Amino acid sequence: MQALRVDRLSDDLSGLTLADVPPPDRAPEEVLVRVRAASLNFPDLLMTRGGYQFKPEVPFTSGLEFAGEVIEADPASGFAPGDRVMGSNKTGAFAELACIPAGKLSLMPRGMDFPAAAALGATYATAFTGLVEQAQMQEGDWVLVHGASGGVGLAACDLTRALGARVIATTGSPAKAGRIAALARPEAVLVAEGRFRDRVAELTGGRLADIVFDPVGGDVFDESTRCVAFGGKLVVVGFTSGRIADIPTNVPLIKGFSILGLRAGEYARRFPERGRAIQSAIAKLAEEGRITPAIDRILPLARWREGFEAMARRELVGKVVFQPG
Ligand SMILES: NC(=O)c1ccc[n+]([C@@H]2O[C@H](COP(=O)([O-])OP(=O)(O)OC[C@H]3O[C@@H](n4cnc5c(N)ncnc54)[C@H](OP(=O)(O)O)[C@@H]3O)[C@@H](O)[C@H]2O)c1
């Protein structure tokens, strides 16, 4: 079968090849799935460089998230051949076949196609865990979402609106503002440069943001500490800017806000029941048509480089989905 292999770590994708490899051997607790679509997440890019907190040994098959059809499963797994499923593991999705523990699979939402299902799981679980589970988002809250053109950022905007809170989206790429506005339909799209706190104050009638959802870090995080309301929450999601910010601990004390560290995957591993509840809540919202993942482009897996480069060059508004075969 064809699989996108990372043979060595590299900063320029030169360590990746689309190779013919033997099909995976299924362990009894695993389910064998024919991958119909798999989506690219920022951690996939970081893993090709050795820059993610999880560092798989090379060689490995890239890709953490996919949707497809079950080919083989033990009856005890709860899955049967032909089931349309979506799953997320740390690696192995960018291939024609994937083997995955049954606990990391769920049935696709009814009515959803494979590309949308492949783009749904990781980003919406990240947004849901951060906003709903950890920050306890309420209807009417003002939520400032950074990196809003990204997969996680757009999911956070979409989920916030679906749950009746108000979104202010930010981007570091002014040219993307129109597309973000059309997809995320926020109250406003701000360019996250300089002192954007004044615009947040203006938009919220002086209240500031009840929740800041920050996948960017660096200067954006620094300014965010000025955008969060008293009693508010600043959710640390990631560091796409490349800089992990330092913050003196008197800042959250004086301003009375909390900093929450988000690790959505680890949260679901430690609290499997909550993880399943989050997946069900997301599937229900998707089935009701209240959330829809934004897809920037769908590419055959053979054009994997185009997708990875577009992400690295920060060109995307929404997800890249690969289709093997
Ligand atoms: N904590 C968790 O549990 C968890 C789970 C999943 C992902 N994450 C993290 O969430 C972040 C976003 O992931 P994603 O899959 O949504 O990535 P993505 O689709 O590539 O989106 C990232 C966005 O960050 C913004 N950005 C700002 N500075 C950037 C820079 N220097 N280089 C590239 N992008 C930059 C870009 O938006 P603009 O151009 O609009 O500014 C970009 O669209 C990553 O750090 C990832 O590791 C965290």
Side-chain angles (χ1 to χ4, degrees), residues 42 126 149-152 171-173 176 237 239-240 262-264 314:
F42 206 78
T126 301
S149 65
V152 167
T171 175
S173 311
K176 295 182 187 172
V237 185
F239 315 103
T240 53
L262 171 63
R263 279 189 69 194
R314 202 172 164 177

Side-chain angles (χ1 to χ4, degrees), residues 256-281:
F257 68 82
S258 308
I259 299 177
L260 303 173
L262 171 63
R263 279 189 69 194
E266 191 58 27
Y267 187 87
R269 278 185 286 280
R270 287 184 189 237
F271 310 113
E273 271 179 32
R274 293 307 310 145
R276 280 191 289 277
I278 290 167
Q279 290 299 346
S280 309

Side-chain angles (χ1 to χ4, degrees), residues 31-32 69-75 77 79-84:
V31 176
L32 180 65
E69 285 154 334
V70 172
I71 298 180
E72 208 177 275
D74 287 354
S77 70
F79 294 98
D83 281 350
R84 290 158 65 93

